[in-house]
Amino acid sequence: MRPFAYHRPENLAQALDTLRDGGSRFRALAGGTTLYDLMKIGVETPAAVVDIHRLPELDHIGVAGGELVIGAGTRMARAAAHPAVVRDFPAVAQSLWRAASQQLRNMATIGGNLLQRTRCTYFRAGAPFPCNKRDPGSGCAALGGRDGGHAVLGGSEDCIATYPGDLAVALIAFDAVVDVEGPAGARTLPIADLHRPPGDTPHLEHTLRPGELITRVRVPASAVARESAFLKVRPRESYAFALAAAAVGVVRGAGGEVRECRIALGGVATVPWRAAEAERAVIGRPLTAAGAREAGGIAMLGARPGRDNAYKVELGARTVADALMSLAEDR
Ligand code: FAD
Ligand code: SF4
């Protein structure tokens, strides 16, 4: 690991000043559960880290003005166990519970979770493997290589790395927004605009500007968020990233017909993936196994499998279908 400076600001204003001065050479340090890993393997080489882990302004959670508001510094474990999240946003709670391990969730934060980087083994292994994300213009070892964990949706000719997080999948399904603060002041963006698909610039993964911090996440309270679920398929039942995941929500009318539906996928795409066409296919009909299966197939339309990851096309479709049917069975 290369030498780096450590800054510990007293409050958010100080943190923002330090980050502004450091620009793209500095990194915010939250729980450090992924940033330090990346520094040890030389993927991240900041001149300094700015420790935001204990800033009181970022550590809060509650429901206000018809929305769930979670400070970016709130620990994942705290958010997962919050009664309002468990009751009114079950997909969000489940996406947090099923991520990482209890030890990690005790340390890791909401903001850090959203901005974690891909687990692509070539990206992390470094030389001799080419990787456009790590070393722009060098090529992509996963294209035509071992791509069993890679994305089948949202990839490009330059990168097919899977976005690994669970929480962002639940948030994108329920129209969450993130509030950010930085050198140019405060702004709000839909979570759908936070992560960038790889295109021909896979090293640019999000739309935050240098010096900007996520300060909080807001999720509108709604009937469809209350009737929601998050299903994650992984190699073992804990401490593993998703091979496929689905966040779903359904509101039904008195006759059982679906009036509102949300579907988002994780583990199969380069960014958290909202499946709007699949949502439309479910609306206006009763929720049946056949309908859920059809929606799962539509959610995976456009998938481009490579050498080893074709199984994700079927797995993604079935994960969506099973997640939807778990809501039908709950009634
Ligand atoms: P840090 O490591 O401190 O930071 C991560 C990145 O976010 C850094 O670039 C940092 O600069 C940036 N950052 C942090 N906070 C902010 C902010 N407020 N504003 C702007 N930038 C910010 N995750 C899952 O979702 N599902 C899993 O199944 C899962 N399994 C895991 C298994 C293992 C073994 C490990 C090590 C991790 C796993 N994770 C999983 C990832 C884990 O959830 C993340 O490491 C964690 O959420 C990162 O949070 P942190 O606070 O530690 O972030
Ligand atoms: Fe790098 Fe992306 Fe290719 Fe992985 S998939 S080797 S992260 S360019």
Side-chain angles (χ1 to χ4, degrees), residues 8-273:
R8 189 160 166 194
E10 296 287 319
N11 52 47
L12 181 59
Q14 268 183 23
L16 289 167
D17 284 348
T18 313
L19 284 163
R20 183 199 57 219
D21 294 345
S24 54
R25 298 175 307 118
F26 284 19
R27 286 282 180 283
L29 173 72
T33 62
T34 196
L35 181 61
Y36 279 146
D37 275 359
L38 294 170
M39 288 168 70
K40 284 183 204 160
I41 59 177
V43 168
E44 294 274 8
T45 54
V49 296
V50 181
D51 191 345
I52 60 169
H53 202 220
R54 295 173 192 81
L55 296 182
E57 298 99 322
L58 299 182
D59 186 10
H60 56 87
I61 181 164
V63 176
E67 45 183 26
L68 172 66
V69 183
I70 316 179
T74 307
R75 311 297 187 270
M76 290 169 68
R78 182 179 173 208
H82 192 277
V85 182
V86 172
R87 186 185 61 238
D88 295 334
F89 304 87
V92 174
Q94 291 158 18
S95 74
L96 288 162
W97 276 124
R98 289 177 189 156
S101 64
Q102 188 61 26
Q103 291 92 334
L104 285 161
R105 292 190 294 267
N106 285 340
M107 191 72 182
T109 64
I110 297 301
N113 186 276
L114 295 179
L115 293 183
Q116 62 180 289
R117 305 192 69 185
T118 184
R119 312 303 287 195
C120 171
T121 40
Y122 300 114
F123 171 70
R124 288 174 177 252
F129 301 108
C131 172
N132 288 322
K133 193 183 277 298
R134 186 171 172 155
D135 183 12
S138 63
C140 171
L143 285 162
R146 291 190 177 180
D147 60 6
H150 286 73
V152 293
L153 292 168
S156 71
E157 298 306 313
D158 291 318
C159 180
I160 52 168
T162 304
Y163 173 75
D166 294 312
L167 173 64
V169 176
L171 294 181
I172 204 172
F174 300 103
D175 297 327
V177 298
V178 288
D179 292 333
V180 306
E181 279 190 49
R187 64 190 179 107
T188 297
L189 61 154
I191 185 94
D193 293 345
L194 179 63
H195 298 96
R196 297 171 60 127
D200 57 4
T201 53
H203 58 293
L204 303 177
E205 293 172 346
H206 58 74
T207 55
L208 293 191
R209 300 166 189 152
E212 276 189 332
L213 276 180
I214 299 175
T215 53
R216 57 186 192 169
V217 172
R218 291 183 283 129
V219 197
S222 64
V224 76
R226 207 162 39 246
E227 297 290 325
S228 69
F230 183 85
L231 179 63
K232 176 171 174 178
V233 181
R234 46 189 160 167
R236 52 178 184 267
E237 260 312 293
S238 76
Y239 207 35
F241 289 91
L243 296 172
V248 298
V250 166
V251 175
R252 274 168 289 184
E257 80 288 357
V258 175
R259 285 171 34 205
E260 206 178 335
C261 177
R262 303 293 172 87
I263 300 173
L265 287 133
V268 295
T270 54
V271 288
W273 194 263

